[in-house]
Amino acid sequence: MTTRQIVISGLLAGLLFALQVAMAGLPNIEPVTLLLILYTIYLPKLVPLIVCAFILLEGITYGFGIWWLHYLYAWPLLVSLTHLLRRKSSRVMWTCFSGAFGLSFGALCAIPYALTGGLYAGFSYWVSGIPFDLLHCCGNAALMCALFMPLGRCLSYIAKFLGETSRP
């Protein structure tokens, strides 16, 4: 990686974290899914570093509790699934995909609780969070629908600045 790529990765990870913190007052409505999808599509070489920095920032800021463990696989899973679908350019498809990820996020978060407290603990955690998963689904879908195209254009310029192919 070049110095330029490392700096841009740090800035994009910081932006990701800052926007999540700025929107923390809204229950499960945050731009992380949107931005990670766009980063994966437009900046595939940088996204692993961005995700690692974001996960580390979360742990440093809020603590490395059991809640943090799901970040170690949920965000890389999102990036991996996006990478598989990256050739799709339909805003409707990405809107549905991000909404589905938001809906499934609670189930992903419940895994560490199921492993440490048993299946009933994990299941209870997941079921009690379903209203938040519904909000997460709607928030992800709304943000993706509204911002996929304009932010995609911005990231396309950044990709060109870094010498990356903007779309696969």
Side-chain angles (χ1 to χ4, degrees):
M1 287 190 108
T2 66
T3 304
R4 182 181 293 183
Q5 289 173 321
I6 292 169
V7 169
I8 296 291
S9 296
L11 289 171
L12 293 175
L15 176 67
L16 186 66
F17 180 72
L19 288 172
Q20 183 196 40
V21 170
M23 295 180 74
L26 301 173
N28 279 11
I29 299 172
E30 40 70 25
V32 176
T33 304
L34 164 72
L35 290 175
L36 285 179
I37 288 171
L38 288 170
Y39 292 168
T40 304
I41 292 170
Y42 290 97
L43 303 165
K45 292 178 189 170
L46 302 185
V47 79
L49 183 58
I50 293 169
V51 169
C52 289
F54 173 70
I55 292 169
L56 188 60
L57 283 169
E58 285 285 315
I60 290 170
T61 303
Y62 300 115
F64 295 97
I66 191 169
W67 69 270
W68 181 78
L69 294 176
H70 77 275
Y71 274 34
L72 296 174
Y73 58 85
W75 299 125
L77 176 64
L78 173 66
V79 168
S80 298
L81 292 173
T82 301
H83 186 72
L84 292 173
L85 299 170
R86 73 188 183 282
R87 298 194 190 281
K88 309 293 183 202
S89 60
S90 165
R91 180 172 51 175
V92 172
M93 191 281 298
W94 287 115
T95 298
C96 293
F97 175 74
S98 65
F101 187 78
L103 193 59
S104 66
F105 198 75
L108 291 170
C109 295
I111 294 171
Y113 295 97
L115 293 174
T116 58
L119 288 178
Y120 291 119
F123 184 73
S124 323
Y125 180 86
W126 174 56
V127 170
S128 67
I130 288 176
F132 291 99
D133 292 340
L134 292 170
L135 286 171
H136 199 175
C137 171
C138 294
N140 278 1
L143 287 172
M144 184 63 72
C145 188
L147 299 174
F148 179 74
M149 297 304 223
L151 289 180
R153 282 192 290 276
C154 293
L155 287 170
S156 176
Y157 292 125
I158 293 171
K160 287 177 187 171
F161 174 72
L162 293 173
E164 286 197 35
T165 306
S166 64
R167 293 288 298 200

